[in-house]
Structures are given as structure tokens and as C-alpha cells.
Amino acid sequence: MSIKRWRLFMYTCFGGCSTGVSASKALIRLWEENPEDIKIACLPAVIIPGKFNEMLKSADKRLLVDACSLRCGAKLFEREGMSIDCYIELTSRLKIKKEKILPSIDLQEDVYQVIKIEVESLLQT
């Protein structure tokens, strides 16, 4: 069985804060809008050698979104040697503080727009 090749894998920390929840929703929305080109990939699976190799073979590019300045996803990628084509850390990018609450509709839309711009750029190249 051959593995489908995606143009873009998207990863996020799915953090328990407003930016993490917003990122999760944004990635789901973007996948729904581009089901043939992009897919959400499992961030924790990066530590599993077989999945790591499958991820490398299954996508042309990788985008990683961290919800906050702890940079959990980036640290995991660095530790495992996974390359990324685009990295977004939301609290710094949006100049906001991490809040352990559900996100507002406005924050969800802001996060979606930030990620969408990067996704569109990655898909154009």
C-alpha cells in the first residue's frame, strides 16, 4: 500500500489555553478547506521512529504552531531532528498573553488569519 503524499502537514500543540484552542480550530478549518493538499499530523507521534520516518516521506512541507512562548512543539521538533518550513508562536506573533480560558470568536478569527497566510504562502511555493 502506498502512502499518500501531502503538500503540507500542519502540527500544533493543542495547548490548554485560548491560543492553543484557537490554533486547533484553525488547523481543522484549514484542513477542511484544503482536504487534498494539507493534513493535520500528530505532534506527539514525532517521537515514534516509524511514524517520524513516515511523516518525512508523507509531506512536502511542515508547519508548526505553538500556542505560547513555552514552545513545546518546537522543543520536541528540535529534540527529534524534525525540520519545519514555517514556525508560528502565537502569543508573540499576536502580542498577547497566554490565557487559560476558552478563546473569543475574535481571537479564533485572528489566529485563523495568521495561520492561513502562512499556509497559503507554503502552498504557493
Side-chain angles (χ1 to χ4, degrees):
M1 182 168 114
S2 67
I3 297 173
K4 177 174 173 44
R5 183 115 179 132
W6 299 90
R7 292 180 62 201
L8 177 64
F9 270 176
M10 303 180 298
Y11 300 82
T12 188
C13 65
F14 280 74
C17 61
S18 58
T19 48
V21 171
S22 296
S24 302
K25 289 183 169 190
L27 266 58
I28 292 166
R29 184 172 164 189
L30 287 159
W31 186 11
E32 289 173 341
E33 293 170 356
N34 302 277
E36 297 301 316
D37 294 321
I38 64 178
K39 181 180 182 301
I40 297 172
C42 180
L43 180 59
V46 169
I47 67 168
I48 301 168
K51 290 301 289 181
F52 179 92
N53 291 330
E54 182 182 319
M55 287 179 201
L56 290 176
K57 294 176 187 172
S58 299
D60 296 330
K61 296 180 182 176
R62 285 173 290 286
L63 172 137
L64 172 60
V65 180
D66 270 328
C68 72
S69 61
L70 289 176
R71 302 183 68 234
C72 298
K75 289 174 183 172
L76 181 62
F77 267 47
E78 288 167 13
R79 186 183 90 188
E80 299 301 319
M82 176 73 85
S83 63
I84 52 176
D85 298 283
C86 180
Y87 177 71
I88 303 168
E89 189 272 286
L90 289 169
T91 56
S92 296
R93 177 77 69 97
L94 297 171
K95 296 177 179 42
I96 60 174
K97 291 185 180 202
K98 178 179 179 176
E99 294 185 283
K100 294 181 181 181
I101 60 172
L102 288 169
S104 67
I105 297 297
D106 289 341
L107 179 61
Q108 290 179 56
E109 188 59 28
D110 290 347
V111 168
Y112 169 77
Q113 291 300 327
V114 164
I115 298 171
K116 181 181 178 194
I117 288 167
E118 299 298 341
V119 165
E120 288 174 345
S121 176
L122 288 166
L123 292 176
Q124 287 178 358
T125 57

